[in-house]
Amino acid sequence: MKMLINAADTIVSDALNGLAQAHPGMVRVMRSPDYVIRADAPIKQKVAIISGGGSGHEPMHIGYVGRGMLTAACPGAIFTSPTPDQILAATHAAAGDAGVLYIIKNYAGDRMNFEIAIETLLLEGIPVTSVIVADDVAHPNSDLRRGTGATIIVEKIAGAAAEMGASLEECTRVACHAERQCRSIGVALSACTIPALDRPSFHLGDDEIEIGIGIHGEAGRHRTTLMPVSYIVDQLCSALADDLGLRAGDRTLALVNGLGATTQIELYVAFYEVARWCAAHNIVIERSLVGNYMTSLDMAGCTITLMRLDDELLRLWDAPVCTPAMRWGL
Amino acid sequence: MKMLINAADTIVSDALNGLAQAHPGMVRVMRSPDYVIRADAPIKQKVAIISGGGSGHEPMHIGYVGRGMLTAACPGAIFTSPTPDQILAATHAAAGDAGVLYIIKNYAGDRMNFEIAIETLLLEGIPVTSVIVADDVAHPNSDLRRGTGATIIVEKIAGAAAEMGASLEECTRVACHAERQCRSIGVALSACTIPALDRPSFHLGDDEIEIGIGIHGEAGRHRTTLMPVSYIVDQLCSALADDLGLRAGDRTLALVNGLGATTQIELYVAFYEVARWCAAHNIVIERSLVGNYMTSLDMAGCTITLMRLDDELLRLWDAPVCTPAMRWGL
């Protein structure tokens, strides 16, 4: 596996330096422990929205720090949860006096380390709440569902609410509401390669794909032979709509997310099939995102996220945002 | 080669449908011949900025249609120039009464077909000018230099000028000025696969890279073994600065562009090395872009573009833009 890096053990550090150099007006990068924080944080009267997780999913989360989205992000090592001290350092630097909302993807390590941070903050008297993102319908046990594409949407929605001056209670409510309206599922065409291991995380045959893949290569629902994308999207959208209980007339936001090595032209082809599927089921796509928003290193494939929209979520989604990887209105 | 498509011969058409469905407020997609046009075109008193080229480089050009950038784009088949009738159809639909500026990458087919369109327009009495983008320093003969990353910058600069109401003469002047201030060079870690051929366009060994690669896999300056990215960036930036005559104190815009299969974390690592190189040479990076802006299907690697900035170019670069793939201020 060839990569544009200096060494496997400096990737995350070098990339954070690159982020800082590329977007000095938006973010600052702090070291030992590492976190990314809005250039203008802390902001006294606004709720701090903080997320984090293993690296290797860029631009998530470090690319979503800025006005209208995350106040800070804690990047762990590749595919490794951030540590409690990272989370606490970011929180102490980012928190004003309106409290802190953690957006946590539903992985055991992430949950545990954010939970340790929460216990510490409560002892310190800092108001803190959290929302667990668990949108991946591939897992049969809904308690064990992984956090995937919905994370970006929840970060945007909560960040918009905080930017508008909503209280911690209100930010938490809309974040939980947004999370409950999202479902995701993915398909892999090839595995990813963890740099330090230098071998694919699993093996797919030359004509094989895996439906329901996790963003770290966790096993999906089943393997099958490569099919036209219209068939693949039909399976994925049906699974999402069933689980979310989407009905004719429902309004949605649709995210077609590349996993890293899949081309933008393919993502637009996949989005076209999502649009066709929705049209055939009288489901309205009111907003859309097509691109690499939450990757899995160099995995080929995509995830699809559907969110049921209402006026409140739409208004928060459309609010201005200015981060390295998502920007409009500013 | 596995792809998320329906069939090799419907990729471009399906992707255009996806683009249209994903961004209905920004663009319209017209058929037979195919082109992408701003949703609000033609705009009576503004110069129409039009580009085009082979597909497979997404988001270029179709993702750059919208306010403050391209008025229309003509996507050819994969790696194939758009036809004169495509270019003329787009032009007739996009042109107001202030004339038309074509932004043409320096490839024989593109130049020939845009030239045919220009001759037709002149017979029709439609004012038309053009700028040839030839920024890739890898080719030893400067007349044969390919158009690469600078194309996006020239499209942004010319589009901003047109949006502000500049005349055709003025739009052409700033586009040519921007083009002359840009140089690019790329490195490939792996080849791309043309869908209809289903085999890599060339072969690189397991530890081999190619410096100076073209965006269609054209041969570069030389092959070498994989090195740390700091060494690679040193070679690339030195070549750019030599050719552009960059001097200590010069202000620049730096674009680190992924070729398709390279991860965002690697692009930030590469940008960090560009920033270090510039700092070591007292060259100031005032603006930056890091991401997949002009791809080469699923090629792994990146291109680096440096543009010498002045106040005029900076003002046009910073002007609001609202397209599927580049957006700020709107």
Side-chain angles (χ1 to χ4, degrees):
Chain A
M1 175 61 192
K2 289 179 278 190
M3 292 186 80
L4 277 175
I5 59 175
N6 290 310
D9 60 356
T10 64
I11 294 178
V12 175
S13 177
D14 289 349
L16 288 173
N17 284 332
L19 182 85
Q21 298 277 347
H23 309 285
M26 293 183 192
V27 301
R28 283 176 292 140
V29 172
M30 310 306 286
R31 295 303 190 160
S32 303
D34 296 348
Y35 59 90
V36 180
I37 186 165
R38 268 176 68 156
D40 59 354
I43 305 165
K44 205 160 168 41
Q45 287 161 335
K46 284 185 183 163
V47 174
I49 311 291
I50 299 176
S51 191
S55 294
H57 305 299
E58 291 66 27
M60 184 175 83
H61 302 270
I62 59 173
Y64 300 124
V65 175
R67 280 180 67 184
M69 211 159 165
L70 294 180
T71 316
C74 309
I78 298 283
F79 289 3
T80 303
S81 301
T83 58
D85 68 310
Q86 255 185 299
I87 299 168
L88 283 168
T91 306
H92 287 136
D97 48 16
V100 177
L101 169 59
Y102 287 149
I103 298 172
I104 308 167
K105 300 197 300 303
N106 192 29
Y107 298 94
D110 290 14
R111 290 190 66 154
M112 184 176 71
N113 289 354
F114 273 101
E115 196 55 51
I116 293 169
I118 289 170
E119 287 168 14
T120 306
L121 292 181
L122 291 176
L123 288 173
E124 295 173 349
I126 298 176
V128 57
T129 60
S130 63
V131 53
I132 306 291
V133 182
D135 55 314
D136 184 349
V137 304
H139 204 289
N141 181 341
S142 63
D143 289 342
L144 297 177
R145 285 184 172 177
R146 304 173 287 243
T148 58
T151 315
I152 298 145
I153 297 171
V154 173
E155 291 176 357
K156 171 69 180 79
I157 297 287
E163 199 70 42
M164 292 173 185
S167 67
L168 178 58
E169 186 184 354
E170 182 63 7
C171 289
T172 310
R173 183 191 64 76
V174 294
C176 290
H177 174 49
E179 197 279 332
R180 281 193 299 267
Q181 299 304 320
C182 288
R183 298 292 188 280
S184 301
I185 190 166
V187 57
L189 276 63
S190 73
C192 58
T193 304
I194 296 176
L197 300 181
D198 202 28
R199 56 179 162 70
S201 54
F202 57 97
H203 179 74
L204 280 173
D206 280 348
D207 66 344
E208 220 178 10
I209 63 174
E210 184 154 337
I211 304 281
I213 196 77
I215 59 169
H216 310 93
E218 299 93 331
R221 284 186 169 184
H222 65 281
R223 291 190 177 189
T224 178
T225 52
L226 181 63
M227 299 172 287
V229 66
S230 59
Y231 288 76
I232 298 172
V233 166
D234 182 67
Q235 285 189 32
L236 300 183
C237 284
S238 297
L240 298 179
D242 282 356
D243 204 278
L244 185 55
L246 275 183
R247 283 191 291 252
D250 277 355
R251 306 153 62 193
T252 62
L253 180 157
L255 161 60
V256 172
N257 168 63
L259 284 170
T262 288
T263 61
Q264 185 73 26
I265 197 168
E266 289 169 271
L267 298 181
Y268 272 120
V269 171
F271 184 84
Y272 177 48
E273 297 302 335
V274 172
R276 289 220 288 190
W277 190 93
C278 286
H281 293 79
N282 286 313
I283 290 163
V284 183
I285 298 179
E286 292 199 349
R287 293 293 182 274
S288 59
L289 282 179
V290 186
N292 292 343
Y293 289 94
M294 181 210 60
T295 59
S296 182
L297 292 169
D298 61 337
M299 193 183 290
C302 74
T303 63
I304 299 174
T305 301
L306 291 177
M307 173 196 223
R308 188 191 283 111
L309 277 177
D310 55 36
D311 289 343
E312 176 182 48
L313 293 174
L314 189 61
R315 184 177 57 90
L316 292 165
W317 179 258
D318 284 345
V321 60
C322 185
T323 71
M326 191 178 293
R327 184 168 176 186
W328 53 75
L330 290 169
Chain B
M1 174 61 192
K2 290 179 277 189
M3 292 186 81
L4 278 175
I5 58 175
N6 290 308
D9 59 357
T10 64
I11 295 177
V12 175
S13 177
D14 288 350
L16 288 172
N17 284 332
L19 181 86
Q21 297 277 347
H23 309 285
M26 293 182 192
V27 301
R28 284 176 290 140
V29 172
M30 311 305 287
R31 294 303 189 158
S32 302
D34 297 348
Y35 58 90
V36 179
I37 186 165
R38 268 176 69 156
D40 59 354
I43 305 163
K44 208 163 168 35
Q45 287 161 333
K46 284 185 183 162
V47 173
I49 311 291
I50 299 177
S51 191
S55 295
H57 304 299
E58 290 68 24
M60 184 177 81
H61 301 272
I62 58 173
Y64 299 124
V65 175
R67 281 179 67 183
M69 212 160 165
L70 294 180
T71 316
C74 308
I78 298 283
F79 289 4
T80 304
S81 300
T83 58
D85 68 311
Q86 256 185 298
I87 300 168
L88 283 168
T91 306
H92 288 135
D97 48 15
V100 177
L101 169 60
Y102 286 149
I103 297 172
I104 308 167
K105 300 198 299 302
N106 193 28
Y107 299 95
D110 289 15
R111 289 189 68 154
M112 184 176 70
N113 289 353
F114 272 100
E115 195 55 52
I116 293 169
I118 289 171
E119 287 168 15
T120 306
L121 291 181
L122 291 176
L123 288 173
E124 294 173 352
I126 298 176
V128 57
T129 60
S130 64
V131 53
I132 305 292
V133 181
D135 55 314
D136 184 349
V137 304
H139 205 289
N141 181 340
S142 63
D143 289 343
L144 298 177
R145 284 184 173 177
R146 305 173 286 243
T148 59
T151 315
I152 298 145
I153 298 171
V154 173
E155 291 176 358
K156 170 70 181 78
I157 296 287
E163 200 69 42
M164 292 174 184
S167 67
L168 178 58
E169 185 183 354
E170 183 63 8
C171 289
T172 310
R173 182 190 66 76
V174 293
C176 291
H177 174 50
E179 197 278 333
R180 281 194 299 267
Q181 299 304 320
C182 288
R183 297 292 187 281
S184 301
I185 189 165
V187 57
L189 276 63
S190 73
C192 59
T193 304
I194 296 176
L197 301 182
D198 203 28
R199 56 180 162 70
S201 54
F202 58 96
H203 179 74
L204 281 173
D206 279 349
D207 65 345
E208 221 178 11
I209 63 174
E210 183 155 338
I211 304 282
I213 195 79
I215 59 169
H216 310 93
E218 299 95 330
R221 285 186 169 184
H222 65 279
R223 291 191 178 188
T224 178
T225 52
L226 181 64
M227 299 172 287
V229 67
S230 59
Y231 287 77
I232 298 172
V233 165
D234 181 68
Q235 286 189 30
L236 301 184
C237 284
S238 297
L240 298 180
D242 281 355
D243 204 277
L244 185 55
L246 275 182
R247 283 192 290 252
D250 276 355
R251 306 153 63 193
T252 62
L253 180 158
L255 161 60
V256 172
N257 168 64
L259 284 170
T262 288
T263 62
Q264 185 73 27
I265 197 168
E266 289 169 271
L267 298 181
Y268 272 119
V269 171
F271 183 84
Y272 176 47
E273 296 302 334
V274 172
R276 288 218 290 190
W277 190 93
C278 286
H281 293 78
N282 285 313
I283 290 163
V284 183
I285 298 179
E286 291 200 348
R287 293 294 182 273
S288 59
L289 283 180
V290 187
N292 291 342
Y293 289 94
M294 182 210 60
T295 59
S296 184
L297 292 168
D298 60 336
M299 193 183 289
C302 75
T303 62
I304 299 174
T305 301
L306 291 177
M307 174 196 222
R308 188 192 283 111
L309 276 177
D310 55 37
D311 289 342
E312 176 182 48
L313 292 174
L314 189 61
R315 184 178 58 92
L316 291 165
W317 178 258
D318 283 345
V321 60
C322 184
T323 71
M326 191 178 294
R327 185 170 175 185
W328 54 74
L330 291 169

